[in-house]
């Protein structure tokens, strides 16, 4: 054993290094552990000393704001790994719209995590586009604008709707779109399996697929309904899934403003629309709400169509069949909106005919007008 004074001194050092107690330790074991700990701490200290923010982080009060910069040290540590041990961490952040709030406090912390770890691969999914490249967010987040996030920047001439994957090699934000009928069938067949066989019968899978129009959320809600029916002891049938789900509409409306919710119900009457037609159908005096709604993934865009926007068919059905929302429309509300839509269609045709009559526009107005009537 070490002399008492030496043992006490080593004990203080070991305690500082969070080593085990020294009572009953052999001199060789203690010396080896102490030397190893000192070398490890020295190596880590030397490594972290090269990180740009180490000194500032050590001096700062360890509150939430300071701790949010610690990913920089992790990125530095990862960068110094030997080539044979180098890795690229993959971080998945789903339903990113749940981070949004009035002041973007939580979003600011997550953005800081992404920015400080350039050697990690982040996959962010959500119902809305990631707007960090928008210069209008300057002052709300730490890093904004196309210079900071070139992969998220979009063509200023568009409504900043993410494009399909084929839209260019430099894009880092993609609109995934709907699932094909084959993908829906495969998902439902593999979602619930019993004894190696799909638990959901083929006829039920076909009914769910047809009603979902490729919307993944509809598929998940249908699977939940299937399980609920089975728990009651009844065998599900295709007729059980010829319906809309209140939860689908609730999630769709959850991050819309009251003005956007009103506008969504209005355009659900139309097969397709542009900003002017949507604004008039909703009885609004400005197009700002229509422009914001058009940026949402629940709105599909075809820039070559006469009216470029239309509501996803599954969501449109849910909106029209809504009987549960607190702000659901009465029959009188739907009638008034239909009246405004008819007037807006007539106004568009009148203005177009005064300049250059279009047979295509006339037929399109008549088709939508007949459905509204």
């Amino acid at each position: 054993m070490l002399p008492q004074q030496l043992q006490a001194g080593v004990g203080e050092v070991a305690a500082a290094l969070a080593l085990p107690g020294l009572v009953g330790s052999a001199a060789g074991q203690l010396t080896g552990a102490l030397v190893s700990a000192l070398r490890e701490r020295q190596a880590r200290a030397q490594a972290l000393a090269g990180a740009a923010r180490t000194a500032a982080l050590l001096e700062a009060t360890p509150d939430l704001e300071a701790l949010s910069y610690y990913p920089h040290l992790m990125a530095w540590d990862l960068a110094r790994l030997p080539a044979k041990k180098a890795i690229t961490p993959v971080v998945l952040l789903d339903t990113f719209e749940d981070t949004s709030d009035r002041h973007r406090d939580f979003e600011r912390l997550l953005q800081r995590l992404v920015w400080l770890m350039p050697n990690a691969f982040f996959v962010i999914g959500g119902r809305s586009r990631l707007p960090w490249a928008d210069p209008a967010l300057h002052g709300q987040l730490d890093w904004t604008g196309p210079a900071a996030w070139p992969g998220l920047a979009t063509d200023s001439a568009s409504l900043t709707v993410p494009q399909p994957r084929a839209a260019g090699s430099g894009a880092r934000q993609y609109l995934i779109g709907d699932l094909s009928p084959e993908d829906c069938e495969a998902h439902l067949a593999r979602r619930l399996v019993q004894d190696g066989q799909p638990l959901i019968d083929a006829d039920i899978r076909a009914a769910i697929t047809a009603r979902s129009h490729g919307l993944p959320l509809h598929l998940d809600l249908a699977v939940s309904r299937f399980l609920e029916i089975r728990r009651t002891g009844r065998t599900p049938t295709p007729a059980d899934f010829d319906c809309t789900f209140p939860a689908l509409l609730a999630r769709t409306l959850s991050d819309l403003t009251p003005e956007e919710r009103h506008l969504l119900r209005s355009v659900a009457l139309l097969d397709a629309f542009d900003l002017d037609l949507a604004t008039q159908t909703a009885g609004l005096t400005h197009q700002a709400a229509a422009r914001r709604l058009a940026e949402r993934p629940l709105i599909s865009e075809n820039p070559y169509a006469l009216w470029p926007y239309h509501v996803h068919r599954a969501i449109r059905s849910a909106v029209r069949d809504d009987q549960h929302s607190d702000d659901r429309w009465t029959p009188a509300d739907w009638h008034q909106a239909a009246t405004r839509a008819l007037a807006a269609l007539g106004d568009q045709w009148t203005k177009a005919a005064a300049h250059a009559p279009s047979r295509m526009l006339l037929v399109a107005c008549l088709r939508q007008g007949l459905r509204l009537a």
Side-chain angles (χ1 to χ4, degrees):
M1 297 294 293
L2 292 175
Q4 185 175 2
Q5 291 182 344
L6 180 59
Q7 183 175 356
V10 172
E12 293 179 1
V13 176
L17 295 174
L19 292 176
L22 304 183
V23 178
S25 297
Q29 293 174 334
L30 175 61
T31 303
L34 179 58
V35 171
S36 298
L38 288 172
R39 287 176 177 174
E40 182 180 355
R41 169 161 289 198
Q42 182 181 17
R44 289 184 175 274
Q46 290 176 349
L48 293 178
R53 295 182 174 87
T54 299
L57 289 175
L58 292 176
E59 295 176 0
T61 303
D63 54 12
L64 182 61
E65 182 72 13
L67 292 174
S68 67
Y69 283 94
Y70 273 67
H72 168 74
L73 302 182
M74 183 183 295
W76 177 263
D77 207 15
L78 289 171
R80 293 181 60 84
L81 287 175
K84 293 183 179 180
K85 297 183 179 180
I87 59 172
T88 300
V90 178
V91 183
L92 175 61
L93 303 174
D94 200 7
T95 59
F96 197 75
E97 65 275 2
D98 291 343
T99 68
S100 62
D101 57 51
R102 180 178 173 183
H103 302 291
R104 296 182 177 268
D105 293 331
F106 188 33
E107 184 180 357
R108 183 183 300 108
L109 296 177
L110 290 177
Q111 190 206 57
R112 196 171 292 166
L113 171 68
V114 176
W115 180 268
L116 294 174
M117 296 193 66
N119 48 1
F121 185 77
F122 288 86
V123 180
I124 299 177
R127 293 199 300 268
S128 302
R129 70 180 181 90
L130 200 60
W132 293 349
D134 188 350
L137 292 180
H138 179 70
Q140 301 182 53
L141 298 172
D142 294 339
W143 296 278
T144 58
W149 307 97
L152 301 181
T154 53
D155 183 4
S156 59
S158 70
L159 283 176
T160 63
V161 177
Q163 299 299 313
R165 182 170 291 275
S169 58
R172 301 298 297 273
Q173 185 161 207
Y174 308 106
L175 183 62
I176 297 176
D178 301 327
L179 299 177
S180 66
E182 294 78 14
D183 290 337
C184 292
E185 167 72 20
H187 172 76
L188 293 171
R190 298 170 183 169
R191 182 67 173 79
L192 299 175
V193 179
Q194 188 176 46
D195 298 329
Q197 297 297 322
L199 191 59
I200 304 177
D201 294 336
D203 55 345
I204 297 179
R205 297 200 301 267
I208 296 174
T209 297
R211 189 77 184 193
S212 71
H213 299 291
L215 189 66
L217 177 57
H218 185 103
L219 299 180
D220 290 341
L221 294 173
V223 170
S224 298
R225 179 173 175 79
F226 180 89
L227 293 173
E228 289 175 3
I229 294 175
R230 279 177 57 90
R231 279 194 288 267
T232 65
R234 184 169 66 84
T235 301
T237 65
D240 292 322
F241 301 92
D242 186 20
C243 62
T244 58
F245 298 104
L248 188 150
L249 184 60
R251 296 190 192 183
T252 301
L253 299 178
S254 62
D255 56 346
L256 298 182
T257 65
E259 196 174 41
E260 291 168 351
R261 292 160 72 108
H262 172 79
L263 195 88
L264 176 62
R265 290 188 169 92
S266 299
V267 297
L269 291 167
L270 302 169
D271 297 331
F273 60 92
D274 57 17
L275 298 185
D276 186 56
L277 183 58
T279 301
Q280 293 188 48
T281 301
L284 303 177
T285 58
H286 52 277
Q287 292 186 354
R291 179 184 57 79
R292 292 195 305 270
L293 185 67
E295 295 178 4
R296 303 277 185 173
L298 58 91
I299 304 296
S300 301
E301 180 182 6
N302 179 4
Y304 303 104
L306 184 62
W307 293 299
Y309 307 109
H310 63 273
V311 183
H312 190 284
R313 285 178 291 179
I315 295 176
R316 186 182 180 192
S317 298
V319 171
R320 297 289 299 273
D321 298 340
D322 180 25
Q323 299 295 328
H324 302 278
S325 300
D326 294 337
D327 58 348
R328 63 186 179 276
W329 278 8
T330 65
D333 294 328
W334 287 110
H335 178 75
Q336 292 174 7
T339 302
R340 292 193 298 267
L342 282 171
L345 289 169
D347 184 59
Q348 282 205 359
W349 163 248
T350 301
K351 292 180 179 179
H355 295 85
S358 169
R359 184 176 182 274
M360 181 185 299
L361 178 61
L362 175 60
V363 172
C365 288
L366 288 174
R367 285 178 175 174
Q368 292 225 64
L370 288 172
R371 292 191 182 94
L372 288 168

